[in-house]
Amino acid sequence: MTVVDDTTGVTPGTVRPLSVAVIGTGAIGQDLVSKAHRSDVLECALVVGRNPRSAGLRYAAGLGCPTSADGIDAILAAPEAFDVVFDATNAMAHAEHWRLLEPLGTLLIDMTPSKIGQMVVPTVTGPQVPTVRNVNLVSCGGQASVPIAHALADAFDVTYIEVVSTVASTIAGRATRLNLDEYVATTQDALTAFSGVRDTKAVLNISPAVPPAPFRTAVHAVVPGADAEAVRGVVDAAAERVRAVQPGYEAVACAVNGDRVTVSLEVMAASEVLPPYAGNLDIINSAAVMVAEQHAARLSAVAWTGAGR
Amino acid sequence: MTSVTIHDPTLRDGQHAVRHQLGAAALRGYAEAADAARVPVVEVGHGNGLGASSLQVGRAAVSDDEMLSTVREALTTSRMGVFMLPGWGTSADLRKAVAHGADVLRIGVHCTETSLAERHLEFLRAEGAEAHCVLMMSHMATPAELAEHAANAVAYGAQAVGIMDSAGHFLPADVTERIGAIAGAVDVPVIFHGHNNLGMAVANSVAAATAGATIIDGCARGFGAGAGNAQLEVLVPVLERTGFPTGIDLYALLDAAEFAERELMPAPPVTGSLSIVSGLAGVFSGFKHQVLDRAERAGVDPRDVFFELGRRQAIAGQEDLIVDVVADLSTRKDGKAA
């Protein structure tokens, strides 16, 4: 797997806007709506939830997006299938949503840790074309840690990787709370898939601190013969590449003690709807929007050359 | 007289004091001794519970499987307890523990995060196991919040619920207020788990029993994170004299404590400088070893590290913050916390 510098590959004005629908009106759903609304190549065509009075639906309507409280049924009832559907519900519901949407040819971008679709971390894989119609964004901890895990494993002989993330209680919604087991399993699998290191571990802390704690991810690695300066160089370069698309991403500490490497990452959100400490949601949503924009660029290129899908 | 059920996490919380290095022979020997003393529940595991062996907290010398099978074989009348933090362990770990014969399974969540335990409590009830829920770092929440979250835990299926004074921060009046609030909000047994950072673990446990707690945790010689827990062989006779029968055989309990001091620990826990500051700062005392190691290497005062961790409201499980705090303090000219 190679790391690329330009991870968007999209030039505004050359791309036909894609119709986008969002399922779920929690903090992830609202921020996705805000990001899609800002995108030149995405058009927010429908936002669905289950509570007609939810803040998320009100927010979407305020931006001029069509909304419905009929959930997945409203997506299925649309006269024309959406190009992209973001699923910001939970891992259990996602399995059913995929079953219903698969026949429609929509690209389903899964924000839950269901592990059903192809796992993507666009800051590592670049503008790769997903080969399937169900793309999984792993987890917030996965999006934050995989770039570092990948870079370390690429440069050194790494025998073990462990990732511990801490998110603030106030932005851990019900789906996150119900999906802790899935979060752990999916994040561990992604670490192995993207770094090639077989022995991995993922942990999630939910912090009740007031004021809320900023999103943090610690990457621990066992690197026999680790050289502190070389490790720092690899970590800084990897963090810099992520920062090109996620400005609030920072490696705040990097310690080497014998063969143990510890990298502390902090991600501050830059979003219209999220508080600064919610970097966990910002990084996974930015990645999801990046995947959708790459899909838009690809569809335009296909239309231009007349090549089949 | 109301009787109290003693829950003994010597072989779990004590792991924090020895970097999770208890071996199978030590586990077996102590479990047999506690069983002989008729200690009702003997808890075993990595310090942070099932599935928590890690670089973040420390790697265990013995796997979860081996710990559970060793202790199970050693117990005849005592029941076997385990502990699990959602996000560290998963339902797969709980399933494994039930298969190993764990009788009492505790789900730990930070004070106001009971909903993290919803699925795991439901899972345990469906398995037919005894499910407890404990609210950790409980000094970070008000009595009313703790009562509300305790009631939520019972609604999810917890058959006992209570608090851990993870930082050893409480004084007896704090405990009285919190246990009273919880006991008034639930109709299941209430749990108290004390730490001795300010020398209050036994006094706090007596306050808890007096306020309505009927499951009290204690460890042999206080063997536990930081300054340790309520010292079991002191706690039991003190509870008995206060008027709370425990059903435990005193001489056998004293023997178990002798065994623990000889075979489990280099020395019994003392309320040293770092334990005192971690109690005052409200920081989980299991951070002690890592704070000492990193502060010493960087030449900063470990007491400042604890107070800074307290200012940042570090929770148990956030050991990675120690690295940042030490780095920050070592770059400041005077080395003092702001």
Side-chain angles (χ1 to χ4, degrees):
Chain A
M1 233 171 258
T2 53
V3 176
V4 290
D5 291 322
D6 176 13
T7 48
T8 62
V10 175
T11 319
T14 63
V15 175
R16 170 183 76 87
L18 295 194
S19 65
V20 164
V22 177
I23 318 175
T25 57
I28 290 187
Q30 282 187 51
D31 183 53
L32 280 172
V33 169
S34 137
K35 285 178 165 54
H37 185 72
R38 273 203 316 252
S39 170
D40 292 319
V41 298
L42 305 178
E43 191 181 300
C44 199
L46 184 62
V47 178
V48 305
R50 282 191 302 207
N51 174 2
R53 283 176 301 279
S54 76
L57 287 186
R58 269 206 313 277
Y59 172 77
L63 291 183
C65 304
T67 63
S68 165
D70 293 335
I72 184 73
D73 292 341
I75 304 272
L76 297 168
E80 203 175 325
F82 300 100
D83 294 315
V84 172
V85 173
F86 292 103
D87 188 352
T89 60
N90 64 64
M92 291 78 95
H94 176 73
E96 175 67 2
H97 294 161
W98 171 231
R99 190 182 69 75
L100 294 168
L101 290 172
E102 186 178 10
L104 304 184
T106 294
L107 174 65
L108 188 52
I109 299 183
D110 176 19
M111 312 305 295
T112 82
S114 79
K115 221 167 55 174
I116 292 172
Q118 180 185 333
M119 293 190 288
V120 294
V121 179
T123 51
V124 169
T125 51
Q128 252 190 4
V129 179
T131 53
V132 294
R133 297 216 156 265
N134 187 345
V135 170
N136 178 261
L137 268 295
V138 187
S139 66
C140 57
Q143 293 296 333
S145 62
V146 163
I148 302 297
H150 170 266
L152 287 173
D154 210 34
F156 309 107
D157 176 26
V158 179
T159 58
Y160 173 75
I161 294 183
E162 175 181 308
V163 168
V164 182
S165 295
T166 302
V167 310
S169 173
T170 49
I171 38 138
R174 181 165 161 79
T176 300
R177 291 165 186 274
L178 287 175
N179 284 164
L180 285 186
D181 288 0
E182 289 80 0
Y183 174 99
V184 167
T186 301
T187 307
Q188 282 174 190
D189 280 9
L191 286 167
T192 295
F194 289 96
S195 73
V197 177
R198 232 176 325 159
D199 194 4
T200 61
K201 181 169 183 62
V203 171
L204 184 64
N205 291 313
I206 310 277
S207 167
V210 180
F215 172 57
R216 285 174 59 83
T217 291
V219 181
H220 300 280
V222 176
V223 185
D227 171 73
E229 208 169 306
V231 167
R232 179 90 230 187
V234 165
V235 166
D236 284 345
E240 198 56 48
R241 283 193 295 272
V242 177
R243 212 166 19 247
V245 290
Q246 186 70 40
Y249 186 92
E250 200 184 344
V252 291
C254 177
V256 177
N257 180 21
D259 62 357
R260 306 283 174 87
V261 173
T262 300
V263 179
S264 300
L265 303 164
E266 253 180 41
V267 188
M268 300 304 282
S271 152
E272 281 161 27
V273 297
L274 299 174
Y277 59 81
N280 51 317
L281 304 185
D282 199 29
I283 194 169
I284 193 170
N285 284 352
S286 298
V289 168
M290 220 181 293
V291 170
E293 290 183 335
Q294 288 161 4
H295 186 57
R298 172 173 167 260
L299 289 189
S300 281
V302 169
W304 182 253
T305 61
R309 286 184 194 182
Chain B
M1 279 193 296
T2 318
S3 66
V4 159
T5 301
I6 294 293
H7 186 106
D8 175 0
T10 302
L11 300 179
R12 197 274 303 162
D13 211 326
Q15 294 270 23
H16 284 293
V18 290
R19 301 171 191 257
H20 317 279
Q21 294 302 304
L22 292 181
L27 297 175
R28 184 180 306 109
Y30 182 75
E32 284 170 356
D35 186 76
R38 299 198 302 270
V39 170
V41 183
V42 175
E43 187 175 283
V44 64
H46 178 278
N48 272 24
L50 299 171
S53 177
S54 57
L55 294 182
Q56 173 91 350
V57 179
R59 283 174 153 177
V62 174
S63 71
D64 285 354
D65 281 329
E66 191 180 349
M67 286 194 223
L68 292 168
S69 58
T70 302
V71 168
R72 178 72 277 167
E73 281 167 21
L75 300 179
T76 60
T77 53
S78 301
R79 305 170 78 209
M80 182 164 76
V82 296
F83 181 62
M84 195 277 264
L85 307 177
W88 286 80
T90 65
S91 299
D93 295 306
L94 292 177
R95 191 175 296 118
K96 212 162 60 175
V98 170
H100 272 294
D103 303 294
V104 180
L105 295 95
R106 281 187 172 176
I107 307 298
V109 292
H110 291 300
C111 50
T112 52
E113 307 305 316
T114 321
S115 58
L116 297 175
E118 179 178 351
R119 253 175 98 187
H120 300 105
L121 289 169
E122 283 172 2
F123 170 80
L124 290 175
R125 292 304 301 274
E127 290 280 313
E130 184 172 326
H132 292 188
C133 183
V134 282
L135 309 177
M136 306 180 297
M137 300 295 283
S138 52
H139 68 284
M140 291 172 78
T142 63
E145 286 171 327
L146 294 172
E148 179 196 333
H149 280 273
N152 293 346
V154 173
Y156 297 144
Q159 291 152 296
V161 66
I163 55 174
M164 287 189 168
D165 182 14
S166 310
H169 183 73
F170 287 144
L171 304 180
D174 303 323
V175 175
T176 300
E177 195 182 358
R178 282 158 180 81
I179 293 294
I182 293 170
V186 302
D187 53 8
V188 299
V190 175
I191 303 164
F192 180 74
H193 172 106
H195 275 276
N196 205 36
N197 297 61
L198 301 178
M200 289 288 141
V202 171
N204 283 346
S205 301
V206 172
T210 307
T214 55
I215 301 176
I216 307 282
D217 288 12
C219 294
R221 290 290 188 268
F223 190 46
N229 295 68
Q231 190 175 342
L232 182 61
E233 65 280 13
V234 178
L235 174 68
V236 166
V238 168
L239 283 173
E240 300 261 359
R241 276 183 65 187
T242 313
F244 299 102
T246 63
I248 289 176
D249 180 315
L250 179 64
Y251 276 15
L253 184 67
L254 295 175
D255 291 343
E258 300 281 349
F259 176 90
E261 178 170 354
R262 207 170 54 241
E263 303 294 335
L264 303 188
M265 59 195 86
V270 291
T271 304
S273 307
L274 285 193
S275 297
I276 296 165
V277 294
S278 90
L280 292 172
V283 175
F284 174 49
S285 40
F287 282 19
K288 188 175 92 175
H289 290 300
Q290 288 200 41
V291 167
L292 259 180
D293 290 351
R294 293 191 186 274
E296 196 168 297
R297 274 202 304 277
V300 303
D301 188 331
R303 297 172 296 189
D304 288 337
V305 176
F306 265 110
F307 279 116
E308 179 61 16
L309 286 166
R311 201 187 60 76
R312 297 191 191 189
Q313 298 175 61
I315 53 168
Q318 263 196 300
E319 280 80 349
D320 53 288
L321 265 183
I322 299 167
V323 178
D324 296 39
V325 167
V326 167
D328 283 359
L329 290 179
S330 68
T331 55
R332 286 182 205 166
K333 274 206 185 90
D334 57 1
K336 292 275 181 209

